Amino acid sequence: DIQMTQSPSSLSASVGDRVTITCQASQDISNYLNWYQQKPGKAPKLLIYDASNLETGVPSRFSGSGSGTDFTFTISSLQPEDIATYYCQQYDNLPSWTFGQGTKVEIK
Amino acid sequence: EVQLVQSGAEVKKPGESLKISCKGSGYSFTSYWIGWVRQMPGKGLEWMGIIYPGDSDTRYSPSFQGQVTISADKSISTAYLQWSSLKASDTAMYYCARQRAVAAVDAFDIWGQGTMVTVSS
């Protein structure tokens, strides 16, 4: 199985800060990686697909990059409404898709 | 509006069977893969499996193979997740979610609201 190592597990930042989350795959997954946002008590929401494509309607302060085994998710200017847990998800090898462990983002 | 509406919360005893549902609307139900995701209390997301309602092609995560059954009834645009014998460890929120692209697999773009399953004696 492909393992996804997401870090950090949590972070605290100020409004306006740049926030970066990384996800490392245990083997090459090309660009088969998505990023989701989950707010407390809500279903996840797709933000980025295919490593770097912004889902329709998602603010441009969210971005993704990377390919192969190393991926990065960035919030360019953290807003109060961005408080959530963020997950990466690889889909290289159906049916062995996996999610990262999640990163909880809080406001300092 | 494209949406997935899941059945309501369930409270069951160990050993009981259960089938929860996920009804799609606002799009061609048979043209998009639908998957199921588990979230245990206070934990992360776990991918369980996926079905293509058009031909009922179903794939399971190795972690869930043999533990659950995924099915779909295209006549009523509904996907299902079922257990034959629940365990306390099945207590979790279960989400259904639709794949983004027609007849392809990549990302889950539409999610149901979740069904909370509680298994307790």
Side-chain angles (χ1 to χ4, degrees):
Chain A
D1 282 9
I2 299 173
Q3 307 302 318
M4 302 302 295
T5 303
Q6 188 174 338
S7 62
S9 56
S10 65
L11 65 88
S12 181
S14 300
V15 172
D17 281 356
R18 185 180 185 87
V19 168
T20 298
I21 299 168
T22 64
C23 208
Q24 184 171 59
S26 58
Q27 64 189 66
D28 189 336
I29 59 169
S30 185
N31 67 330
Y32 300 144
L33 186 102
N34 306 314
W35 291 95
Y36 298 88
Q37 174 194 65
Q38 187 179 32
K39 295 184 177 181
K42 299 294 187 182
K45 175 186 176 182
L46 176 64
L47 300 181
I48 303 286
Y49 63 94
D50 295 348
S52 60
N53 293 307
L54 193 67
E55 173 69 346
T56 302
V58 173
S60 59
R61 64 180 180 274
F62 297 101
S63 66
S65 64
S67 66
T69 60
D70 295 302
F71 301 86
T72 301
F73 172 81
T74 301
I75 307 173
S76 60
S77 177
L78 186 67
Q79 300 302 303
E81 60 268 30
D82 300 336
I83 299 315
T85 299
Y86 294 84
Y87 295 92
C88 62
Q89 178 239 330
Q90 67 82 15
Y91 63 97
D92 175 61
N93 180 23
L94 185 66
S96 297
W97 293 355
T98 46
F99 287 92
Q101 304 94 319
T103 297
K104 187 174 183 179
V105 174
E106 298 175 322
I107 295 285
K108 193 181 293 184
Chain B
E1 179 192 7
V2 175
Q3 59 179 349
L4 297 173
V5 178
Q6 297 185 230
S7 50
E10 301 274 1
V11 180
K12 292 290 194 178
K13 291 182 170 23
E16 291 186 332
S17 63
L18 176 64
K19 191 174 190 178
I20 62 175
S21 66
C22 169
K23 183 173 176 61
S25 62
Y27 73 98
S28 174
F29 183 75
T30 55
S31 298
Y32 293 80
W33 290 80
I34 287 186
W36 289 92
V37 175
R38 183 175 79 175
Q39 188 166 39
M40 299 176 77
K43 302 299 184 183
L45 305 173
E46 300 174 270
W47 184 75
M48 301 177 71
I50 199 165
I51 187 166
Y52 187 70
D55 62 5
S56 293
D57 184 3
T58 307
R59 316 289 177 89
Y60 293 93
S61 163
S63 299
F64 290 93
Q65 179 81 48
Q67 308 304 308
V68 296
T69 300
I70 293 170
S71 60
D73 184 340
K74 58 186 179 183
S75 70
I76 54 171
S77 300
T78 301
Y80 300 97
L81 178 66
Q82 69 181 89
W83 296 259
S84 59
S85 181
L86 286 160
K87 302 184 285 288
S89 57
D90 293 318
T91 295
M93 180 72 81
Y94 293 88
Y95 293 102
C96 64
R98 190 197 77 165
Q99 283 287 289
R100 191 183 61 86
V102 172
V105 289
D106 55 6
F108 293 115
D109 68 338
I110 304 295
W111 291 71
Q113 83 277 19
T115 296
M116 184 67 207
V117 174
T118 303
V119 184
S120 175
S121 54

